Amino acid sequence: MTDESGPTGRDLLEQWLRALTILGDESLTTQERLDLITEVNPPEQLDLRISTPLPQVDVEAIQNAFARAASLHSRKTSVHILVENQLIAWLGEATDSTREQVLQRLALSLDEAL
């Protein structure tokens, strides 16, 4: 799983493949897909421990910075997945392969690389 340095490359690859697999499930609504992705790939929690007491205004500034960073990361991830999803669809069309075949081949290739 993860340690103090965060998820490994393999962990990130597995999360990405799970998200792309879920996005291909046309039996679910868009919201159900997003909810399921969040369920199987929960956001990583970042902890910050400071031993010196801080003024409340500084505590709030740190909390706001973490929240904004998490929001930006989430938005970037959403855009990346949308683009990747479209590229996988086009690759499937171009190679006359199913989405599942493309993802399986991609997963095997990337697994070898890691």
Side-chain angles (χ1 to χ4, degrees), residues 10-42:
R10 187 169 304 281
D11 293 332
L12 294 171
L13 172 62
E14 290 172 358
Q15 290 173 2
W16 178 72
L17 288 170
R18 282 192 299 266
L20 287 174
T21 300
I22 291 167
L23 283 174
D25 186 348
E26 295 179 3
S27 70
L28 301 173
T29 67
T30 301
Q31 189 59 53
E32 288 171 333
R33 291 177 202 174
L34 295 175
D35 292 344
L36 186 54
I37 289 171
T38 302
E39 182 180 323
V40 299
N41 293 335

Side-chain angles (χ1 to χ4, degrees), residues 8-114:
T8 65
R10 187 169 304 281
D11 293 332
L12 294 171
L13 172 62
E14 290 172 358
Q15 290 173 2
W16 178 72
L17 288 170
R18 282 192 299 266
L20 287 174
T21 300
I22 291 167
L23 283 174
D25 186 348
E26 295 179 3
S27 70
L28 301 173
T29 67
T30 301
Q31 189 59 53
E32 288 171 333
R33 291 177 202 174
L34 295 175
D35 292 344
L36 186 54
I37 289 171
T38 302
E39 182 180 323
V40 299
N41 293 335
E44 187 171 343
Q45 297 296 313
L46 300 176
D47 294 321
L48 175 65
R49 292 183 181 89
I50 299 174
S51 57
T52 304
L54 292 175
Q56 186 60 32
V57 68
D58 289 346
V59 170
E60 290 171 5
I62 291 169
Q63 289 172 333
N64 289 338
F66 272 111
R68 290 186 70 194
S71 175
L72 178 60
H73 176 73
S74 177
R75 290 181 11 230
K76 284 182 177 180
T77 299
S78 295
V79 169
H80 290 170
I81 288 207
L82 287 172
V83 170
E84 293 155 355
N85 193 47
Q86 185 61 58
L87 292 173
I88 287 169
W90 287 340
L91 180 60
E93 291 171 11
T95 60
D96 199 30
S97 301
T98 66
R99 176 184 181 79
E100 292 75 18
Q101 290 169 324
V102 171
L103 286 177
Q104 182 180 30
R105 185 170 179 192
L106 181 62
L108 292 172
S109 296
L110 293 175
D111 187 56
E112 287 178 15
L114 291 175

